Amino acid sequence: MLWSGWGDPAKAADLPEPIRKLLHEMLGVRPPRGRAADFGEVRLPAVALSPLVLTELRGVVGADHVRFDDDARIRHTRGKSTPDLLRMRAGDGSDAPDAVVLPGSHDEVLAVLATCAAHRVAVVPFGGGTSVVGGLVATRQGFAGVVALDLARLNRLVAVDRESMVAEMEPGLRAPQAEQLLAGHGLTLGHFPQSFEYATLGGFAAARSSGQASAGYGRFDDMVVGMTVATPRGTLDLGRAPASAAGPDLRQVILGSEGAFGVITSLRLRVRPAPAERVYEGWRFESFAAGSAALRRLAQEGTVPTVLRLSDETETMIGLARPSEIGALAAGAGCLAIAGYEGFSEVPALRERVAAVASGLGGVYLGPGPGESWAHGRYSAPYLRDSLLAAGATVETLETAGFWSNLPRLYEAVRLSLHASLGSPLVMCHISHVYGTGASLYFTVVTAQADDPVGQWEAAKRSVNEAIVTAGGTISHHHGVGRDHREAHAVEIGDLGVEILRGIKDRLDPGGILNPGVLVAPEKPVS
């Protein structure tokens, strides 16, 4: 994975000159003043870990699995948010871990945590490194160093219970590996977020990920029927039945905890038969409001395709890069909806029911072209972000969710906040996850880079976080809390909610070594 960008470096491409000219004319985008740093120019702090700690860690996982060379440290620095990438492009490696430790078993994870707790070393659990909310930057203050705990060696399909349709899998499996292993059994998870190519199963669970096919397969947290977790206090083994009334579900304490409460070392996941048929197609609606009404009707009637998403007018217009494929949309305004179906003999009947609802609410059928185009490029947007950053544009995404009755207010609040803080940015939005009670809103923002592009986006992010909370939305639907959303999350759950999270962390991680500063801020000492 590209150390200063997204994914496969071979897929990175410069923007064509006509697109650069258009960005300049529309947004005032100009080429960056300086060139991006090369790999060897990244500035790293000295390794802070003592020889004693390094020796003890080698004794736990083996000498070959404790790395503190520049390559390992740089590739485990931060995640993949736009500020993360801008800092790396500037050669700023100040948040690099002191060492990368790769355990090979649950017991080794426990031993690493014990060693780090004894020496006051912070531990950042690391999967695919795809966090976009500052979830991989630990607080150093008060610690003797920082270790990235890379779970790549925990990458097995442990067992398949075909009768129960449950598979036990290790957290270091990247999503494509997991799908390939399950395909050998005729199964699938059905979890395909935009980070699919690089993210891991453990990361999906730790951040409550939601894939692009969530309408049909559910969110990742819906798939977790059990898990094993290593903590500085010992092992949690959670989930022994499909449902239980035996008190609060402690799985929910770990799901979404972003490595702040423990390290997931095994997952027991609900699986589905691999579909025999996949069909993707497009619909046109006159407006975002009209398309939203159709999505709401489908969700509330239970007539939901596997994939269901709706772009607003701006995203639809900007997406007309292939007018021959989009057909009727190329000639006029409106909003593009994508419906995807994955399944078996039930697919034709479901398509008919969806078509009846969509056409009855003003939808115009566009055929398979737009759907197939979306499916072909569903993981490509982060590569375009790299190209835009290199051209001098700041581009970032943010997301929220709300109830249907409040969705228009939330949509406008986010847009107004971005325009107020960034001048005249390009703001696009789509609905990508629907429920009977509401839906998500996923925004993409493009603006000209300021002299301080990191500060420019951080100011806009603070403003939009406040707008989301004020407008009654959640601070995150599927990206997580990390550091970027921590303060807004505290407002969302209230003081008592923050106290509860701190209480859980104090019990599971009394030394506070697990991902400090992520999810919940340390309690301020009484002066």
Side-chain angles (χ1 to χ4, degrees), residues 92-353:
D92 176 6
S94 57
D95 293 318
D98 297 297
V100 178
V101 179
L102 295 98
S105 68
H106 172 81
D107 288 343
E108 287 188 2
V109 174
L110 283 176
V112 168
L113 296 183
T115 297
C116 290
H119 294 282
R120 292 290 297 161
V121 173
V123 178
V124 179
F126 193 98
T130 61
S131 171
V132 292
V133 292
L136 299 174
V137 180
T139 298
R140 278 187 172 268
Q141 186 176 3
F143 295 95
V146 176
V147 160
L149 190 70
D150 191 324
L151 301 172
R153 293 177 62 209
L154 277 69
N155 62 355
R156 296 180 304 146
L157 170 60
V158 178
V160 173
D161 178 352
R162 187 68 189 233
E163 186 174 1
S164 304
M165 293 300 283
V166 171
E168 182 177 356
M169 311 182 83
E170 291 186 326
L173 275 170
R174 296 189 188 276
Q177 292 176 298
E179 285 296 328
Q180 184 177 16
L181 291 169
L182 288 172
H185 297 268
L187 302 171
T188 182
L189 281 171
H191 190 70
F192 305 106
Q194 196 169 75
S195 61
F196 173 81
E197 295 171 302
Y198 293 95
T200 62
L201 301 187
F204 290 153
R208 285 190 184 274
S209 175
S210 190
Q212 295 168 342
S214 67
Y217 292 104
R219 296 167 56 93
F220 195 81
D221 44 347
D222 298 329
M223 302 175 189
V224 179
V225 299
M227 63 175 73
T228 303
V229 184
T231 80
R233 292 285 308 278
T235 297
L236 281 171
D237 196 4
L238 306 172
R240 57 171 57 198
S244 172
D249 188 348
L250 293 180
R251 290 173 301 180
Q252 301 302 320
V253 172
I254 303 301
L255 292 168
S257 64
E258 301 181 43
F261 297 162
V263 181
I264 298 168
T265 58
S266 179
L267 288 159
R268 292 174 291 286
L269 301 170
R270 181 202 70 204
V271 292
R272 303 279 183 87
E277 185 175 7
R278 290 183 172 91
V279 179
Y280 304 99
E281 52 197 17
W283 289 82
R284 176 190 178 275
F285 290 92
E286 286 291 337
S287 66
F288 197 48
S292 298
L295 265 61
R296 177 173 62 84
R297 177 75 66 82
L298 290 169
Q300 292 177 345
E301 290 186 359
T303 308
V304 185
T306 310
V307 174
L308 185 60
R309 49 198 294 125
L310 171 74
S311 295
D312 70 0
E313 290 86 349
T314 305
E315 185 170 281
T316 298
M317 178 181 66
I318 297 299
L320 299 183
R322 301 183 180 92
S324 63
E325 294 181 10
I326 295 177
L329 266 179
C335 295
L336 174 65
I338 299 296
Y341 308 84
E342 298 184 6
F344 299 89
S345 59
E346 77 280 3
V347 166
L350 179 57
R351 289 179 66 195
E352 288 184 8
R353 294 198 299 272

